[in-house]
């Protein structure tokens, strides 16, 4: 029987960026490909969530620009927990401007993303040069957005192919968000994950972790509301972690 996908160990050999390798190491060590999206507007609630789920995740995804009481003591504390519990911090900034502006948005302002984030997301609407000369630290990686999970997304096959090509050529890119299989040299992140919901009322679409691994060739599932809005986020995180891990193993 032929292997249907390559393992995390094999994938690690194909990834050159240190943060991509680190993410895979964490996944293998903790047996989790779950990234939780903590889309909460108060630091207290983010930290509460992290204390419940930190052991079960390989990454925590943030939208720092929605946090009402953002501060460096919050970031320092979060960084400390992420080191203790061994997960990465992803800032879902979705940069989308020309390189000089992307660079300013990464290094300055209130959030100084490059001073703490392990990974940042970027759109490539402005082309390949928009992610050149960003001067990010060598241990920080980029995730490109090739194809969103939402209903009515504007990307077509041609656009997606171009984003994937640029992603492969830029050594700072560790992977991408897409709804399809991609080259083995890219890590594939899949948001829009829910056990039973197919869509929400504002245009996001959802698939089960099994579909993510079987049909889309995912490497990491990103789960938000299904976990943080649930009555028992700790238990739900464990369920998504188990489902994601089983779905991965079933594809080997
Ligand atoms: P939820 O599971 O609650 O729908 O959250 C999904 C998260 O992933 C949100 O933070 C959203 O911004 C992000 N996301 C997405 O839903 N679809 C994409 O294609 C890319 C994303 O980053």
């Amino acid at each position: 029987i032929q292997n249907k996908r390559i393992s995390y160990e094999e994938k690690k050999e194909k990834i050159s960026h240190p943060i991509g390798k680190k993410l895979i190491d964490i996944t293998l060590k903790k047996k989790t490909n779950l990234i939780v999206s903590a889309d909460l507007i108060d630091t207290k609630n983010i930290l509460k969530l992290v204390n419940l789920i930190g052991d079960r995740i390989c990454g925590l995804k943030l939208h720092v620009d929605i946090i009402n009481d953002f501060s460096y003591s919050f970031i320092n504390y979060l960084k400390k927990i992420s080191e203790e519990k061994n997960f990465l911090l992803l800032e879902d900034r979705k940069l989308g401007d020309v390189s000089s502006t992307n660079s300013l948005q990464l290094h300055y302002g209130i959030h100084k993303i490059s001073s703490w984030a392990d990974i940042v997301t970027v759109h490539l609407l402005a082309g390949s040069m928009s992610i050149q000369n960003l001067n990010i630290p060598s241990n920080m990686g980029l995730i490109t957005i090739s194809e969103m999970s939402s209903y009515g997304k504007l990307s077509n096959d041609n656009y997606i192919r171009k984003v994937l090509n640029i992603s492969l050529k830029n050594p700072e890119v560790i992977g991408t968000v897409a709804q399809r299989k991609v080259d083995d040299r890219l890590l594939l992140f899949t948001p829009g994950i829910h056990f039973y919901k197919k869509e929400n009322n504002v245009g996001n679409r959802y698939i089960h972790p099994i579909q993510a691994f079987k049909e889309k060739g995912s490497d990491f599932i990103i789960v938000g509301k299904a976990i943080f809005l649930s009555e028992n986020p700790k238990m739900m995180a464990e369920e998504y972690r188990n489902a994601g891990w089983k779905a991965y193993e079933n594809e080997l």
Side-chain angles (χ1 to χ4, degrees):
I1 307 164
Q2 250 193 335
N3 281 358
K4 283 182 274 179
R5 64 161 290 150
I6 65 167
S7 65
Y8 287 126
E9 286 89 347
E10 290 166 299
K11 197 130 199 181
K12 192 183 155 191
E13 299 299 308
K14 294 182 185 277
I15 305 281
S16 50
H17 196 285
I19 211 74
K21 286 184 186 287
K22 186 168 176 188
L23 183 58
I24 295 178
D25 282 338
I26 294 173
T27 285
L28 286 167
K29 183 148 188 237
K30 294 173 76 177
K31 287 198 187 322
T32 178
N33 48 46
L34 171 65
I35 294 170
V36 165
S37 186
D39 300 336
L40 296 160
I41 58 174
D42 294 303
T43 57
K44 183 172 70 74
N45 289 331
I46 296 174
L47 295 175
K48 201 170 136 193
L49 178 71
V50 168
N51 279 316
L52 293 172
I53 62 158
D55 292 326
R56 294 161 176 81
I57 58 174
C58 60
L60 184 77
K61 187 172 83 60
L62 299 166
H63 285 287
V64 274
D65 52 1
I66 67 172
I67 302 174
N68 284 322
D69 57 337
F70 177 87
S71 69
Y72 279 96
S73 54
F74 161 71
I75 282 294
N76 289 336
Y77 189 58
L78 195 60
K79 200 80 190 157
K80 207 176 107 213
I81 304 176
S82 77
E83 279 155 16
E84 278 168 17
K85 303 217 169 198
N86 200 20
F87 60 81
L88 297 184
L89 294 178
L90 292 79
E91 165 51 25
D92 194 3
R93 178 61 181 76
K94 296 192 179 73
L95 298 164
D97 216 309
V98 293
S99 170
S100 52
T101 302
N102 284 343
S103 182
L104 291 168
Q105 289 171 329
L106 275 170
H107 299 298
Y108 300 99
I110 290 170
H111 302 113
K112 302 195 199 327
I113 296 166
S114 62
S115 73
W116 54 268
D118 296 303
I119 297 169
V120 178
T121 56
V122 292
H123 276 295
L124 290 185
L125 289 156
S128 65
M129 282 168 72
S130 68
I131 51 166
Q132 283 167 16
N133 303 307
L134 295 179
N135 295 316
I136 54 174
S138 59
N139 58 352
M140 183 174 159
L142 302 174
I143 294 177
T144 58
I145 311 288
S146 304
E147 181 181 19
M148 294 203 59
S149 59
S150 45
Y151 179 77
K153 64 194 169 208
L154 296 182
S155 53
N156 59 22
D157 286 353
N158 192 32
Y159 177 83
I160 295 161
R161 197 161 46 238
K162 284 183 182 170
V163 176
L164 291 173
N165 276 333
I166 296 169
S167 304
L168 276 170
K169 286 191 187 124
N170 187 310
E172 286 176 337
V173 174
I174 66 160
T176 198
V177 168
Q179 307 300 319
R180 58 186 68 200
K181 292 190 171 141
V182 300
D183 192 287
D184 283 340
R185 289 166 292 168
L186 293 172
L187 297 174
L188 180 57
F189 297 82
T190 310
I193 295 286
H194 202 286
F195 282 150
Y196 57 87
K197 239 189 201 168
K198 293 276 166 276
E199 57 191 26
N200 67 11
N201 55 8
V202 285
N204 212 355
R205 291 188 305 182
Y206 295 94
I207 55 173
H208 192 280
I210 292 176
Q211 268 174 293
F213 283 87
K214 196 181 276 305
E215 292 164 22
K216 319 274 182 182
S218 180
D219 293 307
F220 301 95
I221 52 170
I222 299 177
V223 186
K225 291 187 276 295
I227 289 175
F228 71 73
L229 287 185
S230 88
E231 303 227 309
N232 191 340
K234 190 172 178 165
M235 194 189 75
M236 280 318 267
E238 186 61 19
E239 286 185 20
Y240 277 92
R241 174 201 178 195
N242 286 337
W245 193 257
K246 243 170 77 185
Y248 159 72
E249 285 190 326
N250 279 344
E251 294 310 303
L252 290 176

